[in-house]
Amino acid sequence: MHICEGVEHNHIQRAERIAIKVGSSLLINSKTGELNRGWFDAFIKDVAALRQAGKEVIIISSGAVALGRRTLGVVPDADRPDKTEASACAAVGQIELAHAYQDALKDYNIPVGLILITTQNTEIRSMYLNLRDTTDTLLAANAIPVVNENDAVSDRDDCYGDNDRLAARIAGMANADLLILFSDIDGLYTDNPRRNPDAKFISIVDDISDDIHAMASGAGSNVGSGGMATKLLAAVIARSAGCDMIITNGTVLHPLERVINGGKLTYFPAGDAAKTARKHWIIGTPEPNGSVVIDKGAVKALHSGSSLLPIGIKSVSGTFVRGDCVSVFDEKHNEIARGLAGYDSDEVFKILGRHTKDISKLLGYIRKGEFIHRNDLALYE
């Protein structure tokens, strides 16, 4: 696949970090329960081409339960889904799925990291930050994170149920620029095009209104769990995190190459409103849990768009834990910013004024170099 300029859709070219959701209906042959090898190999070739072009890629992959059913000989009963059987199938199938990604990407010298999550990992702040740091670290090491819901341990009250919404959560958590959801049709239509030949295709959706939601229909596959309705919910989540999203036909060979070369798709632009809202939320925290004073060099760095590193911190006050909101003051004690702490207050006492390379020696471990990541920082005007 060649990433070329001047095509009709340049969403992938603009994006630096791309999350891609792959559903069971694409990965798994519904008749045999085996991996759809021809499609999978073509998709992996597309992914490798993105990596070669300098893109960071995160894959949110379904398919574990379906693969496990074949191995264990479990026949799914649509009328009476057995959660225990599904969990057992996921436990077996997840190993097969992980090996498939690992073996395929090994041919392109691309490492793979497997991340299995539950809703707690994206809802509890400390777990959310650990998940984000793990993802960032894998990407910095030129690896591809493959993410799936941990169906082997999730219960009905602690699961997403479909990987469309999970993909949107992961894309937002990872600060992805673009989320790609594959479907079995080209995108969003005014009605189900299989039933209504007069249904009109919608190429761009700026506002996900009630009318837009009404256009979606239910799941169309006996393998996957998502449909157009869940994809629209995913679009709401992704856009609220500042991430663009597209829905496109994934059933063709080389589906990413098709998008790059101008293939049909529905585009959901996020715009800047979501990122602005996040900054307002951070600034609007009524009672920060603590504060730090930073030097002139750090003040200059923050205004140029950098993260706040421990070396720029002169003092710390208050008691806070990782993920809490803290105030940032300059040396004249003017509050210039607020942000979400990357370390506990007792850890900051040990590492303030020190280089990032010294953190592991001082603490015995290192999470991330930044005390406040630039995406978690809101500067006052």
Side-chain angles (χ1 to χ4, degrees):
M1 177 178 63
H2 174 64
I3 295 184
C4 53
E5 300 293 334
V7 296
E8 181 183 359
H9 302 301
N10 62 349
H11 311 301
I12 288 181
Q13 287 92 329
R14 292 199 308 266
E16 295 181 3
R17 181 172 290 187
I18 303 169
I20 306 167
K21 184 264 179 177
V22 182
S24 296
S25 59
L26 295 176
L27 278 172
I28 309 301
N29 185 310
S30 60
K31 294 180 180 179
T32 66
E34 297 178 343
L35 192 69
N36 188 351
R37 179 58 65 178
W39 184 92
F40 183 70
D41 289 343
F43 167 68
I44 291 297
K45 187 175 182 179
D46 282 1
V47 169
L50 289 182
R51 286 288 298 109
Q52 189 174 11
K55 308 296 183 182
E56 295 179 325
V57 179
I58 303 166
I59 299 174
I60 299 89
S61 180
S62 303
V65 174
L67 280 176
R69 281 173 177 161
R70 176 188 57 81
T71 302
L72 295 180
V74 175
V75 179
D77 187 338
D79 296 324
R80 293 180 299 158
D82 189 317
K83 182 63 176 71
T84 303
E85 282 188 344
S87 296
C89 291
V92 173
Q94 196 62 62
I95 296 175
E96 297 183 44
L97 189 63
H99 279 306
Y101 278 106
Q102 184 181 50
D103 291 342
L105 286 164
K106 183 170 59 177
D107 292 338
Y108 300 95
N109 296 315
I110 300 175
V112 177
L114 177 64
I115 302 177
L116 299 178
I117 70 171
T118 66
T119 55
Q120 293 186 37
N121 299 120
T122 57
E123 303 302 330
I124 297 176
R125 188 68 196 171
S126 59
M127 291 185 176
Y128 174 93
L129 292 172
N130 283 333
L131 176 60
R132 188 183 69 181
D133 289 350
T134 299
T135 304
D136 284 344
T137 303
L138 285 169
L139 293 170
N142 296 317
I144 291 181
V146 174
V147 186
N148 196 4
E149 186 158 16
N150 194 352
D151 292 311
V153 300
S154 298
D155 58 32
R156 295 184 187 276
D157 297 323
D158 184 31
C159 67
Y160 285 95
D162 69 84
N163 274 4
D164 291 328
R165 284 177 291 178
L166 171 61
R169 291 288 188 193
I170 295 300
M173 173 276 302
N175 293 306
D177 304 300
L178 176 66
L179 170 62
I180 300 174
L181 297 185
F182 290 136
S183 180
D184 55 1
I185 57 175
D186 292 326
L188 182 64
Y189 286 79
T190 55
D191 196 4
N192 189 330
R194 295 189 178 97
R195 295 195 302 258
N196 182 2
D198 295 324
K200 292 181 171 54
F201 183 74
I202 301 174
S203 60
I204 184 168
V205 178
D206 289 311
D207 178 34
I208 306 177
S209 62
D210 290 341
D211 290 339
I212 293 294
H213 279 292
M215 296 174 187
S217 59
S221 168
N222 63 350
V223 177
S225 59
M228 193 57 68
T230 65
K231 288 175 173 55
L232 289 183
L233 291 174
V236 172
I237 296 169
R239 293 174 78 243
S240 69
C243 178
D244 294 344
M245 194 186 96
I246 65 176
I247 300 173
T248 191
N249 195 327
T251 61
V252 299
L253 293 180
H254 299 287
L256 295 173
E257 183 179 33
R258 175 180 176 272
V259 171
I260 290 171
N261 291 331
K264 210 170 184 180
L265 58 83
T266 300
Y267 176 50
F268 300 81
D272 296 326
K275 294 180 180 179
T276 302
R278 175 173 170 78
K279 299 292 186 181
H280 286 168
W281 171 75
I282 293 174
I283 285 288
T285 302
E287 287 294 334
N289 295 73
S291 64
V292 294
V293 176
I294 64 175
D295 60 29
K296 295 179 181 178
V299 172
K300 184 178 179 180
L302 295 190
H303 282 288
S304 67
S306 297
S307 301
L308 177 57
L309 303 177
I311 193 172
I313 302 175
K314 296 178 66 69
S315 64
V316 56
S317 301
T319 301
F320 52 85
V321 297
R322 186 166 175 255
D324 282 350
C325 186
V326 296
S327 295
V328 180
F329 291 88
D330 63 17
E331 293 179 275
K332 295 181 180 180
H333 296 285
N334 299 310
E335 186 177 15
I336 64 168
R338 289 184 181 182
L340 305 181
Y343 287 90
D344 299 347
S345 53
D346 59 339
E347 295 172 321
V348 183
F349 277 111
K350 300 175 182 178
I351 63 176
L352 62 86
R354 305 299 292 266
H355 286 282
T356 302
K357 62 182 177 63
D358 298 328
I359 294 177
S360 61
K361 298 177 183 178
L362 295 167
L363 299 181
Y365 54 88
I366 182 171
R367 291 197 182 103
K368 294 288 288 183
E370 308 93 351
F371 169 58
I372 300 178
H373 191 279
R374 63 179 179 272
N375 293 327
D376 295 329
L377 183 76
L379 287 165
Y380 288 106
E381 296 296 335

